[in-house]
Amino acid sequence: TSPISCKEAETPAKGSVNYDKVREAIVKVIEVDDNIAPAMLRLAWHSSGSYDKKTNTGGSDGATMRFSPEKDYAANAGLFRARDALEPVKKQFPEITYADLWTLAGVVAVEEMGGPKVAWRPGRRDAVSGQECPPDGRLPDADKGTLSGTVQHIRDIFYRMGFNDQEIVALVGAHAVGHTHKQFSGYDGPWTRAPTTFSNELFRELLENKWTLRKWNGPDMFEDPTGEIIMLPTDMALTWDKEFRKYVEAYAADQDRFFEDFAKAFQKLEELGVRAFQEEAKKKRGWFS
Ligand code: ZEM
């Protein structure tokens, strides 16, 4: 029961796309405005993070965020910036699928910001309508009102995709880059002082800074003594929970280890639910093994 049937999907023209050239074109877009790189990373994450292991639905296959209702989900507010910025690249390389382009852009963005190389391969299809959109609510909220509720929520969401605690912490380390935007999420500010450099700085800030609840009439969030950098309740939760904190400490102390674990987890994220890769794996396993 593929959520994207062959009839409804556009099959990527394999071999006809020069992915190195596509990478170069994405780099050029980032060079015009490097704030777009974190947005590309978030686009890749939100297109992939809708995956549900049990039903094998959602995920980057299909690039369903082009369509309503998914593009209008509150969690995806602001991601039009990344989608729009990549439109000229799609025009230049019409044979690449949006699903491949968005995930590749995530990988290129990480690399351009100084992060690890993430393994990437093509093969994702584009759905042709919003019928395949995953339901709303599959991406994490930044706050569930209580400490324990927020910790549980993070696990519920990421375990549903098939991740463990270590992978969760590694993935959220991506908040070293980018900003929260009042007009998109209600939150306001960057997590680090180098928001276009991919590093382990989220973890170092979490442990080394003093975080207090911001006094303002926006949503509950934390700020450092200067008020210039912020943490979401879910970010703080990584230090409150003993299991999560173990990995926060490990990554704060060892950027190489963070890079290695992030690269693995991010590749896994971008390949969740991709039919072509699932078929390939099935063939390799054989019927009776
Ligand atoms: Zn984020 N994220 N995220 N994230 N995220 C925001 C921005 C960015 C959560 C979340 O609520 C938010 C992961 C996990 C989680 C990025 C990457 C990744 C924003 C701000 C919010 C509210 C949006 C805005 O206002 O524009 C929560 C609750 C998460 C898990 C518990 C994972 C995993 C990511 C990648 C692997 C990035 C790069 C941004 C910055 C986007 C930008 O435009 O600068």
Side-chain angles (χ1 to χ4, degrees), residues 66-86:
R66 287 168 298 144
F67 304 115
S68 287
E70 189 178 355
K71 71 179 165 64
D72 310 313
Y73 293 163
N76 293 330
L79 289 182
F80 68 88
R81 290 155 56 233
R83 294 196 302 270
D84 290 357
L86 289 168

Side-chain angles (χ1 to χ4, degrees), residues 38 42 45 81 140-142 171 174-175 178-181 185 191 232 234:
R42 190 167 195 239
W45 141 237
R81 290 155 56 233
D141 294 324
L171 286 170
H175 282 169
H179 294 76
T180 62
H181 304 84
S185 63
W191 290 264
L232 302 170
T234 43

Side-chain angles (χ1 to χ4, degrees), residues 83-252:
R83 294 196 302 270
D84 290 357
L86 289 168
E87 203 50 43
V89 181
K90 171 68 179 166
K91 291 246 156 61
Q92 200 183 337
F93 301 93
E95 285 86 14
I96 193 172
T97 60
Y98 280 100
D100 276 340
L101 176 61
W102 290 356
T103 50
L104 180 57
V107 160
V108 171
V110 168
E111 210 169 299
E112 274 306 291
M113 292 188 285
K117 281 197 162 55
V118 179
W120 180 90
R121 52 186 171 150
R124 294 165 192 76
R125 300 166 297 177
D126 281 347
V128 295
S129 80
Q131 254 173 321
E132 275 76 61
C133 286
D136 199 2
R138 285 201 176 171
L139 291 159
D141 294 324
D143 187 2
K144 283 291 173 190
T146 63
L147 198 168
S148 63
T150 300
V151 167
Q152 188 58 50
H153 173 66
I154 297 173
R155 290 207 166 95
D156 289 344
I157 293 281
F158 282 90
Y159 287 6
R160 188 208 67 225
M161 295 175 223
F163 289 111
N164 61 30
D165 289 349
Q166 172 257 310
E167 293 168 314
I168 293 171
V169 176
L171 286 170
V172 177
H175 282 169
V177 297
H179 294 76
T180 62
H181 304 84
K182 230 170 167 173
Q183 72 271 34
F184 298 142
S185 63
Y187 297 102
D188 189 24
W191 290 264
T192 68
R193 292 178 193 281
T196 55
T197 303
F198 195 96
S199 71
N200 67 342
E201 195 157 326
L202 183 84
F203 304 116
R204 287 189 281 120
E205 289 291 2
L206 271 172
L207 297 179
E208 291 164 18
N209 228 321
K210 187 172 150 48
W211 298 99
T212 55
L213 207 54
R214 176 176 289 185
K215 294 187 185 71
W216 72 324
N217 56 18
D220 279 357
M221 69 180 201
F222 297 80
E223 62 183 12
D224 83 328
T226 69
E228 287 164 8
I229 55 175
I230 64 106
M231 291 289 164
L232 302 170
T234 43
D235 302 310
M236 294 304 300
L238 301 183
T239 68
W240 295 331
D241 179 83
K242 248 178 63 188
E243 268 310 294
F244 285 147
R245 189 182 176 100
K246 231 169 51 184
Y247 299 108
V248 172
E249 288 173 353
Y251 295 145

Side-chain angles (χ1 to χ4, degrees), residues 258-273:
F258 166 53
F259 274 22
E260 203 176 300
D261 287 356
F262 178 85
K264 279 192 205 134
F266 194 63
Q267 182 193 0
K268 174 173 163 180
L269 174 68
E270 290 199 331
E271 297 197 354
L272 293 174

